[in-house]
Amino acid sequence: MSYVFPPAAPVSVPVAGSAARFPVRRVYCVGRNYADHAAEMGADTREPPFFFSKPADALVPGGGDVAYPPATANLQHEVELVVALGRGGANIPPAAALDCVFGYAVGFDLTRRDLQSRAKDKGHPWDMGKGFDQGGPIGAIVPVASSGHPARGAVWLKVNGELRQNGDLAQMSWKVAEVIANLSQYVELAPGDLIFTGTPAGVSTVQRGDVLEGGVDGVGELKIRLV
Ligand code: MN
């Protein structure tokens, strides 16, 4: 095989306790999956799950320095449980969905809230509010053998040491198995797919120089600095 220019390097995420990395295919995200965050966004809390995407190369594996993105005056954090799929399929029954999970990670769904709000108002796509460069810091993936399938436990985020988000996985409107099953009705899922499962309340605006630390009980922690 020859290419007209060198193809981009594959995107991968470290795996806790392993030298081998998790190769990423697609990155899906669930909108408004915690009732208290849906409320702070002014939305109905019982609507069915809906999905958007980030480009795989928007991930920042392992965190660290993240460039403050252009074209926004309102960058916000959303700390989330991320599901990493080791198997895929279409129309996956909820009872079989957890068998597809390779492991879990902590991710930040960084959001240019001003661009997203403008898009919502106009009925435009959210892509430029959500899918920008370095908009998806993600920590190491913890295999299910170590993490189990966490269904409760703190989902938290601090900015410069001050607690901003402090939710619990038990507050998820749509549980991990339901999210996988529902998403697989729209697209065929495959090994390497990641799903950011939504954020609890407490999202807030951050600035250059801020340090963001977040975690999910039983899964790990993630730290970034906006530069
Ligand atoms: Mn989110």
Side-chain angles (χ1 to χ4, degrees), residues 12-130:
S12 65
V13 177
V15 174
S18 172
R21 296 174 67 94
F22 180 92
V24 178
R25 192 184 78 121
R26 295 180 183 170
V27 181
Y28 294 102
C29 305
V30 186
R32 299 181 200 129
N33 200 24
Y34 289 72
D36 55 353
H37 174 62
E40 76 180 350
M41 293 288 111
D44 176 358
T45 59
R46 282 311 305 166
E47 64 183 44
F50 67 94
F51 301 95
F52 59 93
S53 298
K54 286 180 189 268
D57 68 358
L59 295 173
V60 183
D65 284 356
V66 170
Y68 187 93
T72 185
N74 189 5
L75 181 69
Q76 296 196 351
H77 53 79
E78 299 186 354
V79 62
E80 311 198 358
L81 173 71
V82 181
V83 181
L85 298 187
R87 287 169 46 192
N91 300 310
I92 299 166
L98 293 183
D99 295 339
C100 297
V101 179
F102 171 83
Y104 295 91
V106 181
F108 297 163
D109 170 15
L110 297 180
T111 302
R112 293 192 286 204
R113 193 72 72 196
D114 42 0
L115 299 193
Q116 185 202 26
S117 299
R118 210 173 304 152
K120 281 184 190 173
D121 289 345
K122 296 188 170 189
H124 289 172
W126 289 11
D127 296 46
M128 291 301 106
K130 290 287 196 177

